[in-house]
Amino acid sequence: MVVQQGQTPVPQPLGSAVGQLAGPLTSGQPEIAAPSDVERSSRLASRRQWERRYTSNLRITDTAIVICAVLLAQYVRFGRTAVAEQAMSDYQTAYSAGLVVIWLAALAGFRTRSPKYMSAGIEEYRRVVTASFWTFGAVAMGELLLKLELSRGYLAVALPVGTLCLVLNRWMWRDHVVRQRASGRYQSAVLAIGDTEAVTNLASELADDPCSGYQVVGIGIPAYGPPRGEYLTINGREVPIVGGVPYLLDAIKGCGADTVAIAGTEYFGVKGIRRLIWELEPMNVELLVSPGVMDVARSRLAVRPIAGLPLLCIDKPQYQGAKRLQKRVFDFCFASVALTVASPVLVVTALAIKLTSRGPVFYSSERIGIDGKPFSMLKFRTMVEDADKELDTLLSANESDGLLFKIRNDPRVTPVGRFLRRFSIDELPQFINVLRQEMSVVGPRPPLRREVEQYDDDVQRRLLVKPGVTGLWQVSGRSDLPWEKAVRLDLSYVDNWSMVTDILIIAKTVRAVFGRSGAY
């Protein structure tokens, strides 16, 4: 919502406005209250300081890990005497030192310590693994050419131990940064540029994910004109409108931004974007350009420079063919192991339900599966017998904002059932549905028939894959999620599915279950 202090001008074609990016703010117009140059310099210095500290800490811990991994490999390869009594030859010592140097150089060469990859999904870990395997690949090829026989012992110990420790090291530092960002630190100040709808969406997405490290501090709207003290209210926070394109560079200084994010490039054109890049370079300001797509995994994205233009190629979803067979095999194996390991819990739970309330142990509910086919989903019964008959009397107390029915303190839930729901034990029988090939271990939330009947064309895409025992909805808030967010997560999963994603979701599910948030 735009709160105005004057009449908003009708947007005009930019024309030569793009060429006026460095022009001054128009005099005589009210301006947005802005931090001084000293305050902006302080912000930039603070960002550079924590980034340097982060990189330095990573360099120290990486060096310690690589040295320890190589020393361990040296110990295994040459024995205690060679290490403790320093009886190795100068050649062996030089070999170990050289391996450390090459490994650390590879980590630096693959930019594994760059702050920009802290929020890039698994890209940070991928670069660490790639650098490690490249190191040992290069060393192995060198020894093959020189006909040496030293690397096999190092490879068998140093590679797995060192790589695993390096990945865990990244995970711990990343967790530290996430906690800092959640508390409002380690943030980049962003000036978002684009039409009202585009920048509102961009700012809202960044505000919903403070751990990404970007906070919108100003909004520029092309053809808006000079600033007039207006603002956009985004997620309950007022973000000032700093003016149109000709006032962009002065606005960067005014709002203290160290990053410019463009949501839609149609107002700039090719020459305008190039000019903007040149203008931002001496200011040490980062430029981000939104391609206008959402919820596309990095694995599906590739930038292809064609005819001098950086074109974004988006691969199609991968839930068909061999990928589906791969997922089916994984589901069967995982469900079999899960039911076997959890069998004592299943027995105790069944006894607790039978001894504390009337009714069957299991609750069977019709759900809609892949391609719209109905099936009976199994759960441990957590409510009183015939609880469905009381639903009509409770509809007025529904706390969900969409098609779901959820009540935080549902009177139909039994004391044992409340405990089962809190730790998601009631969902363990769904692994039987997985063995029946009606569900998957990971997938969209299994919907009711009445929900599916109200789906629009977009939401129907949820039915292209099997519903899951867990999913993005499970690890992102469960019952606390608004309907629109839950649907978006399901659609994102359908379009971006991969085995790596499934494994990560399963790992996060364990944390979500013990965190108990959104479980009722």
Side-chain angles (χ1 to χ4, degrees), residues 326-340 434-435 441:
Q326 180 185 20
K327 185 174 177 66
R328 183 180 300 175
V329 172
F330 174 81
D331 286 341
F332 179 83
C333 296
F334 189 95
S336 300
V337 173
L339 287 174
T340 301
V434 176
L435 293 180
V441 175

Side-chain angles (χ1 to χ4, degrees), residues 447-507:
L448 296 166
R449 181 182 292 273
R450 60 180 175 82
E451 297 172 14
V452 175
E453 290 173 350
Q454 301 181 61
Y455 281 177
D456 58 26
D457 292 340
D458 291 341
V459 185
Q460 287 285 347
R461 287 187 62 84
R462 298 173 74 184
L463 305 181
L464 292 176
V465 299
K466 296 177 184 177
V469 179
T470 186
L472 286 175
W473 50 273
Q474 178 82 317
V475 300
S476 303
R478 296 197 267 188
S479 297
D480 288 336
L481 282 177
W483 168 253
E484 183 179 350
K485 180 68 172 179
V487 169
R488 179 179 166 186
L489 289 174
D490 283 343
L491 295 180
S492 176
Y493 174 81
V494 172
D495 289 341
N496 300 305
W497 174 83
S498 70
M499 283 306 307
V500 173
T501 301
D502 277 7
I503 294 173
L504 290 175
I505 290 175
I506 291 172

Side-chain angles (χ1 to χ4, degrees), residues 28 40 46 83 89 159 197 243 248 341 369 375 441 450 469 471 482 486 508 510:
R40 180 177 183 273
S46 176
V83 175
S89 67
L159 177 60
E197 181 180 358
L248 175 58
V341 173
F375 69 96
V441 175
R450 60 180 175 82
V469 179
K508 291 181 179 180
V510 177

